[in-house]
Coordinates of all heavy atoms in Angstrom, one line a residue:
M337 N 9.1 15.5 -13.4 CA 8.1 14.3 -13.8 C 8.4 13.1 -12.9 O 7.3 12.5 -12.5 CB 8.3 14.1 -15.2 CG 7.3 13.1 -15.9 SD 5.7 13.8 -15.9 CE 4.8 12.4 -16.5
L338 N 9.6 12.7 -12.8 CA 9.8 11.5 -11.9 C 9.4 11.7 -10.6 O 8.9 10.8 -9.9 CB 11.3 11.2 -12.0 CG 11.7 10.0 -11.2 CD1 11.0 8.7 -11.8 CD2 13.2 9.9 -11.2
Q339 N 9.6 13.0 -10.0 CA 9.2 13.2 -8.7 C 7.7 13.1 -8.5 O 7.3 12.5 -7.4 CB 9.6 14.6 -8.2 CG 9.3 15.0 -6.8 CD 9.9 16.4 -6.4 OE1 10.3 17.1 -7.3 NE2 9.8 16.7 -5.2
I340 N 7.0 13.6 -9.4 CA 5.5 13.4 -9.3 C 5.1 12.0 -9.3 O 4.1 11.6 -8.6 CB 4.8 14.3 -10.5 CG1 5.1 15.8 -10.3 CG2 3.3 14.0 -10.5 CD1 4.7 16.6 -11.5
F341 N 5.7 11.2 -10.3 CA 5.3 9.8 -10.3 C 5.7 9.1 -9.0 O 4.9 8.3 -8.4 CB 6.2 9.2 -11.5 CG 6.0 7.6 -11.5 CD1 4.8 7.1 -11.9 CD2 7.0 6.8 -10.9 CE1 4.8 5.7 -11.9 CE2 6.9 5.5 -11.0 CZ 5.8 4.9 -11.4
L342 N 6.9 9.5 -8.4 CA 7.2 8.8 -7.1 C 6.3 9.2 -6.1 O 6.0 8.5 -5.1 CB 8.7 9.1 -6.8 CG 9.8 8.4 -7.7 CD1 11.1 8.9 -7.4 CD2 9.6 6.9 -7.7
Q343 N 5.9 10.5 -6.0 CA 5.0 11.0 -4.9 C 3.6 10.1 -5.1 O 3.0 9.7 -4.1 CB 4.7 12.4 -5.0 CG 5.8 13.1 -4.6 CD 5.6 14.6 -4.7 OE1 4.7 15.1 -5.4 NE2 6.6 15.4 -4.2
G344 N 3.1 10.0 -6.4 CA 1.9 9.3 -6.5 C 2.0 7.9 -6.1 O 1.1 7.2 -5.5
F345 N 3.2 7.3 -6.5 CA 3.4 5.8 -6.1 C 3.5 5.7 -4.7 O 2.9 4.7 -4.0 CB 4.7 5.3 -6.8 CG 4.9 3.9 -6.4 CD1 4.2 2.8 -7.1 CD2 5.9 3.5 -5.5 CE1 4.4 1.5 -6.8 CE2 6.2 2.2 -5.2 CZ 5.5 1.2 -5.9
A346 N 4.1 6.6 -3.9 CA 4.2 6.5 -2.4 C 2.8 6.7 -1.9 O 2.5 5.8 -0.9 CB 5.1 7.6 -1.9
V347 N 2.0 7.5 -2.4 CA 0.6 7.6 -1.8 C -0.2 6.3 -2.2 O -0.8 5.8 -1.2 CB -0.1 8.9 -2.4 CG1 -1.6 8.8 -2.0 CG2 0.5 10.1 -1.9
Y348 N 0.0 5.8 -3.3 CA -0.8 4.6 -3.7 C -0.2 3.4 -2.8 O -1.1 2.6 -2.3 CB -0.6 4.2 -5.1 CG -1.2 3.0 -5.5 CD1 -2.6 2.9 -5.7 CD2 -0.5 1.7 -5.7 CE1 -3.2 1.7 -6.0 CE2 -1.1 0.5 -5.8 CZ -2.4 0.5 -6.2 OH -3.1 -0.7 -6.4
F349 N 1.1 3.3 -2.5 CA 1.6 2.2 -1.7 C 1.0 2.3 -0.3 O 0.7 1.3 0.4 CB 3.1 2.3 -1.7 CG 3.7 1.2 -0.9 CD1 3.7 -0.2 -1.3 CD2 4.3 1.4 0.4 CE1 4.3 -1.1 -0.6 CE2 4.8 0.4 1.1 CZ 4.9 -0.8 0.6
I350 N 1.0 3.4 0.3 CA 0.5 3.6 1.6 C -1.1 3.3 1.8 O -1.4 2.6 2.6 CB 0.6 5.1 2.1 CG1 2.2 5.4 2.4 CG2 -0.1 5.3 3.5 CD1 2.5 6.8 2.6
I351 N -1.7 3.6 0.6 CA -3.3 3.3 0.6 C -3.3 1.8 0.5 O -4.1 1.1 1.2 CB -3.9 4.0 -0.5 CG1 -4.0 5.5 -0.2 CG2 -5.3 3.4 -0.7 CD1 -4.5 6.3 -1.4
W352 N -2.5 1.1 -0.3 CA -2.5 -0.4 -0.6 C -2.2 -1.0 0.7 O -2.8 -2.1 1.1 CB -1.5 -0.7 -1.7 CG -1.7 -2.1 -2.1 CD1 -2.4 -2.6 -3.1 CD2 -0.9 -3.2 -1.6 NE1 -2.3 -4.0 -3.2 CE2 -1.4 -4.4 -2.3 CE3 0.0 -3.4 -0.5 CZ2 -0.9 -5.6 -2.1 CZ3 0.4 -4.7 -0.2 CH2 0.0 -5.7 -1.0
W353 N -1.1 -0.6 1.4 CA -0.7 -1.3 2.6 C -1.9 -1.2 3.7 O -2.2 -2.2 4.4 CB 0.5 -0.7 3.1 CG 1.2 -1.4 4.2 CD1 1.3 -1.2 5.5 CD2 1.9 -2.7 3.9 NE1 1.9 -2.2 6.1 CE2 2.4 -3.1 5.2 CE3 2.2 -3.5 2.8 CZ2 3.1 -4.3 5.4 CZ3 2.9 -4.7 3.0 CH2 3.3 -5.1 4.3
M354 N -2.5 -0.1 3.8 CA -3.6 0.0 4.8 C -4.7 -0.8 4.4 O -5.4 -1.4 5.3 CB -3.9 1.5 5.0 CG -2.9 2.2 5.7 SD -3.0 4.0 6.0 CE -4.7 4.3 5.8
T355 N -5.1 -0.8 3.1 CA -6.2 -1.5 2.6 C -5.9 -3.1 2.9 O -6.8 -3.8 3.1 CB -6.4 -1.3 1.2 OG1 -6.6 0.2 0.9 CG2 -7.7 -1.9 0.7
L356 N -4.7 -3.6 2.7 CA -4.3 -4.9 2.9 C -4.8 -5.5 4.3 O -5.4 -6.5 4.4 CB -2.9 -5.1 2.8 CG -2.4 -6.5 3.0 CD1 -2.8 -7.6 2.1 CD2 -0.9 -6.5 3.1
F357 N -4.6 -4.7 5.3 CA -5.0 -5.2 6.7 C -6.6 -5.1 6.8 O -7.0 -5.8 7.7 CB -4.3 -4.2 7.7 CG -2.9 -4.5 7.8 CD1 -2.0 -3.7 7.3 CD2 -2.5 -5.8 8.3 CE1 -0.6 -3.9 7.3 CE2 -1.0 -6.1 8.3 CZ -0.2 -5.1 7.9
A358 N -7.2 -4.3 6.0 CA -8.6 -4.2 6.1 C -9.3 -5.5 5.4 O -10.3 -6.0 5.6 CB -9.3 -3.0 5.5
V359 N -8.6 -6.0 4.3 CA -9.0 -7.0 3.4 C -8.6 -8.4 4.0 O -9.4 -9.4 3.7 CB -8.5 -6.8 1.9 CG1 -8.7 -8.1 1.2 CG2 -9.1 -5.6 1.3
L360 N -7.7 -8.5 4.7 CA -7.1 -9.8 5.1 C -8.2 -10.7 5.8 O -8.3 -11.9 5.5 CB -5.9 -9.6 6.0 CG -4.6 -9.5 5.5 CD1 -3.5 -9.3 6.5 CD2 -4.2 -10.9 4.7
P361 N -9.1 -10.2 6.6 CA -10.0 -11.1 7.4 C -11.2 -11.4 6.4 O -12.0 -12.3 6.9 CB -10.5 -10.3 8.6 CG -10.1 -8.9 8.4 CD -9.0 -8.9 7.3
I362 N -11.4 -10.8 5.3 CA -12.5 -11.1 4.4 C -12.4 -12.6 3.9 O -11.5 -13.0 3.2 CB -12.6 -10.1 3.3 CG1 -12.9 -8.7 3.8 CG2 -13.8 -10.6 2.3 CD1 -12.8 -7.6 2.8
G363 N -13.4 -13.4 4.3 CA -13.6 -14.8 3.8 C -12.5 -15.7 4.4 O -12.2 -16.8 4.0
L364 N -12.0 -15.3 5.5 CA -11.0 -16.1 6.2 C -11.6 -17.3 7.0 O -12.7 -17.1 7.7 CB -10.3 -15.3 7.2 CG -9.2 -15.9 8.2 CD1 -8.0 -16.4 7.2 CD2 -8.7 -15.1 9.2
R365 N -11.2 -18.5 6.8 CA -11.5 -19.6 7.5 C -10.4 -20.1 8.4 O -9.3 -20.4 7.8 CB -12.0 -20.8 6.6 CG -13.2 -20.3 5.8 CD -14.3 -21.5 5.6 NE -14.3 -22.5 6.4 CZ -15.3 -22.8 7.3 NH1 -16.2 -21.9 7.6 NH2 -15.3 -23.9 8.0
T366 N -10.6 -20.2 9.7 CA -9.5 -20.6 10.5 C -9.4 -22.1 10.7 O -10.3 -22.9 10.2 CB -9.7 -20.0 11.8 OG1 -10.8 -20.5 12.5 CG2 -9.7 -18.5 11.8
Q367 N -8.4 -22.6 11.2 CA -8.1 -24.1 11.4 C -9.2 -24.5 12.4 O -9.7 -25.7 12.3 CB -6.8 -24.3 12.0 CG -5.7 -24.1 10.8 CD -4.2 -24.4 11.3 OE1 -4.1 -25.0 12.4 NE2 -3.3 -24.1 10.5
A368 N -9.6 -23.7 13.3 CA -10.7 -24.1 14.4 C -12.0 -24.2 13.7 O -12.8 -25.0 14.0 CB -10.6 -23.1 15.5
D369 N -12.2 -23.3 12.6 CA -13.5 -23.5 11.9 C -13.6 -24.8 11.2 O -14.7 -25.4 11.0 CB -13.6 -22.3 10.9 CG -13.8 -20.9 11.6 OD1 -14.2 -21.0 12.8 OD2 -13.5 -19.9 10.9
D370 N -12.5 -25.2 10.6 CA -12.5 -26.5 9.8 C -12.2 -27.7 10.8 O -12.2 -28.9 10.3 CB -11.3 -26.5 8.9 CG -11.7 -25.4 7.7 OD1 -12.9 -25.1 7.6 OD2 -10.8 -25.1 6.8
N371 N -12.0 -27.5 12.1 CA -11.7 -28.6 13.0 C -10.5 -29.4 12.6 O -10.5 -30.6 12.6 CB -12.9 -29.5 13.2 CG -14.0 -28.8 13.9 OD1 -13.8 -28.0 14.8 ND2 -15.2 -29.2 13.6
D372 N -9.5 -28.7 12.1 CA -8.3 -29.4 11.6 C -7.0 -28.5 12.1 O -6.4 -27.9 11.2 CB -8.3 -29.6 10.1 CG -7.1 -30.3 9.6 OD1 -6.6 -31.1 10.2 OD2 -6.8 -30.1 8.3
V373 N -6.8 -28.4 13.3 CA -5.7 -27.7 13.8 C -4.4 -28.5 13.7 O -4.2 -29.6 14.3 CB -5.9 -27.3 15.3 CG1 -4.8 -26.5 16.0 CG2 -7.3 -26.5 15.5
V374 N -3.4 -27.9 13.0 CA -2.2 -28.6 12.8 C -1.3 -28.4 14.1 O -1.3 -27.4 14.8 CB -1.4 -28.0 11.6 CG1 0.0 -28.6 11.5 CG2 -2.2 -28.1 10.4
L375 N -0.6 -29.4 14.6 CA 0.2 -29.5 15.7 C 1.1 -28.4 15.6 O 2.0 -28.3 14.7 CB 0.8 -30.8 15.9 CG 1.6 -31.1 17.3 CD1 0.5 -30.9 18.5 CD2 2.2 -32.4 17.3
G376 N 1.3 -27.5 16.6 CA 2.3 -26.5 16.7 C 1.8 -25.1 16.1 O 2.6 -24.2 16.2
T377 N 0.6 -25.1 15.8 CA -0.1 -23.7 15.3 C -1.2 -23.5 16.3 O -1.7 -24.3 17.0 CB -0.5 -23.9 13.9 OG1 -1.5 -24.9 13.9 CG2 0.5 -24.3 13.0
V378 N -1.6 -22.1 16.2 CA -2.7 -21.7 17.0 C -3.9 -22.0 16.2 O -4.0 -22.2 15.1 CB -2.6 -20.2 17.3 CG1 -1.5 -19.9 18.1 CG2 -2.6 -19.4 16.0
P379 N -5.0 -22.3 17.0 CA -6.4 -22.5 16.3 C -6.8 -21.3 15.3 O -7.6 -21.7 14.5 CB -7.4 -22.7 17.4 CG -6.5 -23.1 18.5 CD -5.2 -22.3 18.4
S380 N -6.5 -20.2 15.6 CA -6.9 -19.0 14.8 C -6.1 -18.8 13.5 O -6.3 -17.9 12.8 CB -6.8 -17.7 15.6 OG -5.5 -17.4 16.0
A381 N -5.0 -19.7 13.3 CA -4.3 -19.6 12.0 C -5.2 -19.9 10.8 O -6.1 -20.8 10.9 CB -3.2 -20.6 12.1
P382 N -4.9 -19.3 9.6 CA -5.8 -19.6 8.5 C -5.6 -21.0 8.0 O -4.4 -21.7 8.0 CB -5.2 -18.6 7.4 CG -4.3 -17.7 8.1 CD -3.9 -18.3 9.3
A383 N -6.7 -21.7 7.7 CA -6.7 -23.0 7.2 C -6.1 -23.0 5.8 O -5.4 -24.0 5.3 CB -8.1 -23.7 7.1
R384 N -6.4 -22.0 5.0 CA -5.9 -21.9 3.6 C -5.9 -20.5 3.3 O -6.9 -19.8 3.2 CB -6.9 -22.7 2.6 CG -6.3 -22.8 1.3 CD -7.4 -23.6 0.3 NE -8.7 -23.0 0.2 CZ -9.1 -22.3 -0.7 NH1 -8.3 -22.2 -1.8 NH2 -10.3 -21.9 -0.8
F385 N -4.6 -20.0 3.0 CA -4.4 -18.5 2.8 C -4.6 -18.3 1.3 O -3.8 -19.0 0.4 CB -3.0 -18.1 3.2 CG -2.8 -16.7 2.9 CD1 -3.5 -15.7 3.5 CD2 -1.8 -16.4 2.0 CE1 -3.4 -14.3 3.2 CE2 -1.4 -15.0 1.8 CZ -2.2 -14.0 2.4
R386 N -5.5 -17.5 0.9 CA -5.7 -17.3 -0.5 C -5.1 -16.0 -1.0 O -5.7 -14.9 -0.9 CB -7.2 -17.2 -0.8 CG -8.0 -18.5 -0.5 CD -9.4 -18.4 -0.7 NE -9.9 -17.5 0.2 CZ -11.2 -16.9 0.2 NH1 -11.9 -17.4 -0.6 NH2 -11.5 -15.9 1.0
A387 N -3.7 -16.1 -1.3 CA -2.9 -14.8 -1.5 C -3.3 -14.1 -2.8 O -3.5 -12.9 -2.7 CB -1.5 -15.3 -1.6
A388 N -3.7 -14.9 -3.8 CA -4.0 -14.2 -5.1 C -5.5 -13.4 -4.9 O -5.6 -12.3 -5.3 CB -4.3 -15.2 -6.2
F389 N -6.3 -14.0 -4.2 CA -7.6 -13.3 -3.9 C -7.4 -12.0 -3.1 O -7.9 -11.0 -3.3 CB -8.6 -14.2 -3.2 CG -9.9 -13.6 -2.7 CD1 -10.8 -13.2 -3.6 CD2 -9.9 -13.3 -1.3 CE1 -11.9 -12.6 -3.0 CE2 -11.1 -12.7 -0.8 CZ -12.2 -12.3 -1.8
V390 N -6.6 -12.2 -1.9 CA -6.3 -11.1 -1.1 C -5.6 -9.9 -1.8 O -6.0 -8.7 -1.7 CB -5.6 -11.5 0.2 CG1 -5.1 -10.4 1.0 CG2 -6.5 -12.4 1.0
F391 N -4.6 -10.3 -2.5 CA -3.7 -9.2 -3.2 C -4.5 -8.6 -4.3 O -4.4 -7.3 -4.6 CB -2.5 -9.8 -3.7 CG -1.5 -10.2 -2.5 CD1 -0.7 -11.2 -2.6 CD2 -1.5 -9.5 -1.3 CE1 0.2 -11.6 -1.6 CE2 -0.7 -9.9 -0.3 CZ 0.2 -10.9 -0.4
S392 N -5.3 -9.3 -5.0 CA -6.1 -8.7 -6.1 C -7.2 -7.8 -5.6 O -7.5 -6.7 -6.1 CB -6.6 -9.7 -7.2 OG -7.5 -10.6 -6.5
L393 N -7.9 -8.3 -4.6 CA -9.0 -7.5 -3.9 C -8.3 -6.2 -3.3 O -8.9 -5.0 -3.6 CB -9.7 -8.3 -3.0 CG -10.9 -7.6 -2.3 CD1 -12.0 -7.2 -3.5 CD2 -11.6 -8.4 -1.3
T394 N -7.2 -6.4 -2.7 CA -6.5 -5.2 -2.1 C -6.1 -4.2 -3.2 O -6.3 -3.0 -3.0 CB -5.3 -5.6 -1.3 OG1 -5.7 -6.5 -0.3 CG2 -4.6 -4.4 -0.8
T395 N -5.6 -4.6 -4.2 CA -5.2 -3.8 -5.4 C -6.4 -3.1 -6.0 O -6.3 -1.8 -6.3 CB -4.5 -4.6 -6.4 OG1 -3.3 -5.2 -5.9 CG2 -4.0 -3.7 -7.7
L396 N -7.5 -3.8 -6.2 CA -8.7 -3.2 -6.7 C -9.2 -2.0 -5.8 O -9.5 -1.0 -6.2 CB -9.8 -4.3 -7.0 CG -11.1 -3.7 -7.6 CD1 -11.0 -3.2 -8.9 CD2 -12.2 -4.7 -7.5
I397 N -9.4 -2.4 -4.5 CA -9.9 -1.4 -3.6 C -9.0 -0.2 -3.5 O -9.4 1.0 -3.4 CB -10.2 -2.0 -2.3 CG1 -11.4 -3.0 -2.4 CG2 -10.5 -1.0 -1.3 CD1 -11.5 -3.9 -1.2
S398 N -7.7 -0.4 -3.4 CA -6.8 0.7 -3.4 C -6.7 1.6 -4.5 O -6.7 2.8 -4.5 CB -5.3 0.2 -3.1 OG -5.2 -0.9 -2.5
A399 N -6.9 1.0 -5.7 CA -7.0 1.6 -6.9 C -8.2 2.6 -7.0 O -8.1 3.8 -7.4 CB -6.9 0.8 -8.2
L400 N -9.3 2.1 -6.5 CA -10.5 3.0 -6.4 C -10.4 4.1 -5.4 O -10.7 5.3 -5.7 CB -11.7 2.2 -5.9 CG -12.2 1.1 -6.9 CD1 -13.3 0.3 -6.3 CD2 -12.7 1.8 -8.2
I401 N -9.8 3.9 -4.2 CA -9.5 4.9 -3.2 C -8.5 5.9 -3.8 O -8.7 7.2 -3.7 CB -9.0 4.3 -1.9 CG1 -10.1 3.5 -1.3 CG2 -8.5 5.3 -1.0 CD1 -9.7 2.7 -0.2
Y402 N -7.4 5.4 -4.5 CA -6.5 6.3 -5.1 C -7.0 7.2 -6.1 O -6.8 8.4 -6.2 CB -5.3 5.6 -5.6 CG -4.2 6.5 -6.2 CD1 -3.3 7.1 -5.4 CD2 -4.1 6.7 -7.5 CE1 -2.3 8.0 -5.8 CE2 -3.1 7.5 -8.1 CZ -2.3 8.1 -7.2 OH -1.3 8.9 -7.8
G403 N -8.0 6.6 -6.9 CA -8.5 7.4 -8.0 C -9.5 8.4 -7.5 O -9.5 9.5 -8.0
L404 N -10.2 8.1 -6.4 CA -10.9 9.2 -5.8 C -10.2 10.3 -5.2 O -10.6 11.4 -5.3 CB -11.8 8.4 -4.7 CG -12.8 9.4 -3.8 CD1 -14.0 9.8 -4.7 CD2 -13.4 8.6 -2.6
W405 N -9.1 9.8 -4.5 CA -8.2 10.9 -4.0 C -7.6 11.8 -5.2 O -7.5 13.0 -5.0 CB -7.0 10.2 -3.3 CG -6.0 11.2 -2.9 CD1 -6.0 12.1 -1.7 CD2 -4.8 11.5 -3.5 NE1 -4.9 12.9 -1.8 CE2 -4.1 12.5 -2.8 CE3 -4.2 11.0 -4.6 CZ2 -2.9 13.0 -3.2 CZ3 -2.9 11.4 -5.0 CH2 -2.3 12.5 -4.3
Y406 N -7.2 11.1 -6.2 CA -6.6 11.9 -7.4 C -7.7 12.8 -8.0 O -7.3 14.0 -8.3 CB -6.1 10.9 -8.5 CG -5.6 11.6 -9.6 CD1 -4.2 12.1 -9.5 CD2 -6.2 11.7 -10.8 CE1 -3.6 12.6 -10.7 CE2 -5.5 12.4 -11.9 CZ -4.3 12.9 -11.8 OH -3.7 13.5 -12.8
V407 N -8.9 12.4 -8.2 CA -9.9 13.3 -8.7 C -10.2 14.4 -7.7 O -10.2 15.6 -8.2 CB -11.2 12.5 -9.0 CG1 -12.4 13.4 -9.2 CG2 -11.0 11.6 -10.1
C408 N -10.3 14.1 -6.5 CA -10.5 15.3 -5.5 C -9.3 16.2 -5.4 O -9.5 17.4 -5.4 CB -10.6 14.7 -4.0 SG -12.3 13.8 -3.9
D409 N -8.1 15.7 -5.6 CA -7.0 16.6 -5.4 C -6.8 17.4 -6.8 O -6.5 18.6 -6.8 CB -5.7 15.8 -5.2 CG -4.5 16.6 -5.0 OD1 -4.6 17.7 -4.4 OD2 -3.4 16.3 -5.6
T410 N -7.0 16.8 -7.9 CA -6.7 17.4 -9.2 C -7.9 18.3 -9.7 O -7.6 19.5 -10.0 CB -6.6 16.3 -10.4 OG1 -5.5 15.5 -9.9 CG2 -6.1 16.9 -11.7
Y411 N -9.1 17.9 -9.6 CA -10.1 18.7 -10.1 C -10.8 19.6 -9.1 O -11.3 20.7 -9.4 CB -11.2 17.8 -10.7 CG -10.7 17.1 -11.9 CD1 -10.4 15.7 -11.8 CD2 -10.4 17.6 -13.1 CE1 -9.9 15.0 -12.9 CE2 -9.9 17.0 -14.2 CZ -9.6 15.7 -14.0 OH -9.1 15.0 -15.1
F412 N -10.8 19.2 -7.8 CA -11.5 20.0 -6.8 C -10.5 20.8 -5.8 O -11.0 21.6 -5.1 CB -12.4 19.2 -6.0 CG -13.5 18.6 -6.7 CD1 -13.5 17.2 -6.8 CD2 -14.4 19.2 -7.5 CE1 -14.5 16.6 -7.6 CE2 -15.5 18.7 -8.1 CZ -15.6 17.3 -8.2
G413 N -9.2 20.5 -5.9 CA -8.3 21.0 -5.0 C -8.3 20.6 -3.7 O -7.8 21.4 -2.7
W414 N -8.9 19.5 -3.3 CA -9.0 19.0 -2.0 C -7.9 18.0 -1.6 O -8.1 16.8 -1.4 CB -10.4 18.3 -1.7 CG -11.5 19.1 -2.0 CD1 -11.6 20.5 -2.0 CD2 -12.8 18.7 -2.2 NE1 -12.9 20.8 -2.2 CE2 -13.7 19.7 -2.4 CE3 -13.3 17.5 -2.4 CZ2 -15.0 19.7 -2.7 CZ3 -14.7 17.3 -2.6 CH2 -15.5 18.4 -2.8
G415 N -6.7 18.6 -1.6 CA -5.5 17.7 -1.2 C -5.2 17.7 0.2 O -6.0 18.1 1.1
F416 N -4.0 17.3 0.6 CA -3.6 17.2 1.9 C -3.5 18.6 2.5 O -3.6 18.9 3.7 CB -2.3 16.5 2.1 CG -2.4 15.0 1.8 CD1 -1.7 14.4 0.7 CD2 -3.2 14.2 2.5 CE1 -1.8 13.1 0.5 CE2 -3.4 12.8 2.3 CZ -2.6 12.3 1.2
D417 N -3.1 19.6 1.7 CA -3.0 21.0 2.2 C -4.4 21.6 2.6 O -4.4 22.6 3.4 CB -2.4 21.9 1.1 CG -1.0 21.5 0.8 OD1 -0.4 20.8 1.7 OD2 -0.5 21.7 -0.3
A418 N -5.5 21.0 2.1 CA -6.9 21.5 2.4 C -7.3 21.0 3.8 O -8.4 21.4 4.2 CB -7.8 21.1 1.3
L419 N -6.6 20.0 4.3 CA -7.1 19.4 5.6 C -6.8 20.6 6.8 O -5.8 21.2 6.6 CB -6.4 18.2 5.9 CG -6.6 17.0 5.1 CD1 -5.7 15.8 5.4 CD2 -8.1 16.6 5.2
P420 N -7.7 20.6 7.7 CA -7.4 21.5 8.8 C -6.2 21.2 9.6 O -5.9 20.0 9.7 CB -8.7 21.5 9.6 CG -9.2 20.2 9.3 CD -8.8 19.9 8.0
Q421 N -5.5 22.2 10.1 CA -4.3 22.0 10.8 C -4.8 21.5 12.3 O -5.4 22.1 12.9 CB -3.5 23.2 11.0 CG -2.1 22.9 11.7 CD -1.4 24.2 11.7 OE1 -1.8 25.3 11.1 NE2 -0.2 24.2 12.3
L422 N -4.4 20.3 12.6 CA -4.7 19.6 13.9 C -3.8 20.0 14.9 O -4.2 20.1 16.1 CB -5.0 18.2 13.7 CG -5.9 17.7 12.7 CD1 -6.0 16.2 12.6 CD2 -7.3 18.2 13.1
A423 N -2.5 20.1 14.7 CA -1.5 20.4 15.7 C -1.1 21.9 15.7 O -1.3 22.5 14.6 CB -0.2 19.6 15.4
P424 N -0.8 22.5 16.8 CA -0.5 23.9 16.7 C 1.0 24.0 16.1 O 1.7 23.2 16.0 CB -0.4 24.2 18.2 CG -0.1 22.9 19.0 CD -0.7 21.9 18.1
S425 N 1.0 25.3 15.6 CA 2.2 25.5 14.8 C 3.2 26.2 15.8 O 2.8 27.2 16.5 CB 1.9 26.6 13.8 OG 3.1 27.0 13.0
F426 N 4.5 25.6 15.9 CA 5.4 26.1 16.8 C 6.6 27.0 16.1 O 7.5 27.3 16.7 CB 6.1 25.0 17.6 CG 5.1 24.2 18.4 CD1 4.7 22.9 18.1 CD2 4.7 24.8 19.6 CE1 3.8 22.3 18.9 CE2 3.7 24.1 20.4 CZ 3.3 22.9 20.1
Y427 N 6.3 27.4 14.9 CA 7.4 28.1 14.3 C 7.0 29.4 13.8 O 5.8 29.8 13.9 CB 8.0 27.3 13.2 CG 7.0 26.8 12.1 CD1 6.7 27.5 11.0 CD2 6.6 25.5 12.2 CE1 5.8 27.1 10.1 CE2 5.7 25.0 11.4 CZ 5.2 25.7 10.2 OH 4.4 25.3 9.4

């Protein structure tokens, strides 16, 4: 039971991490956009990082993706084993 939970958590964490990089630029305002570049920073640095918004949106989107994956794997049997083999088998 613990192994199944850890496998599910590992898949969710990978989905969450990849989704984070897709969500980061959403609604981003740079220092150059606000014409307030702090000395010693690049103009493309965020003017105000909204961590709560980014992390909550990332969690919501990842939960939807994970739920879709879970339904496809559990009810339809379309898991990772159903993907075509892309690399040749050497054994």
Side-chain angles (χ1 to χ4, degrees):
M337 182 69 180
L338 180 63
Q339 182 180 7
I340 294 172
F341 173 75
L342 290 176
Q343 287 174 350
F345 181 75
V347 170
Y348 178 77
F349 180 75
I350 291 169
I351 292 170
W352 189 91
W353 194 254
M354 289 177 18
T355 307
L356 173 67
F357 290 106
V359 169
L360 274 174
I362 295 175
L364 177 70
R365 295 217 20 106
T366 64
Q367 292 179 9
D369 292 340
D370 290 345
N371 291 326
D372 185 27
V373 179
V374 177
L375 187 63
T377 62
V378 293
S380 60
R384 187 174 61 101
F385 180 61
R386 300 176 300 168
F389 172 75
V390 169
F391 293 148
S392 61
L393 186 61
T394 300
T395 303
L396 177 69
I397 293 172
S398 330
L400 292 173
I401 294 171
Y402 180 79
L404 179 67
W405 172 80
Y406 181 79
V407 167
C408 288
D409 185 40
T410 304
Y411 296 109
F412 301 116
W414 299 339
F416 292 119
D417 295 334
L419 294 174
Q421 184 177 358
L422 299 176
S425 178
F426 294 110
Y427 53 91

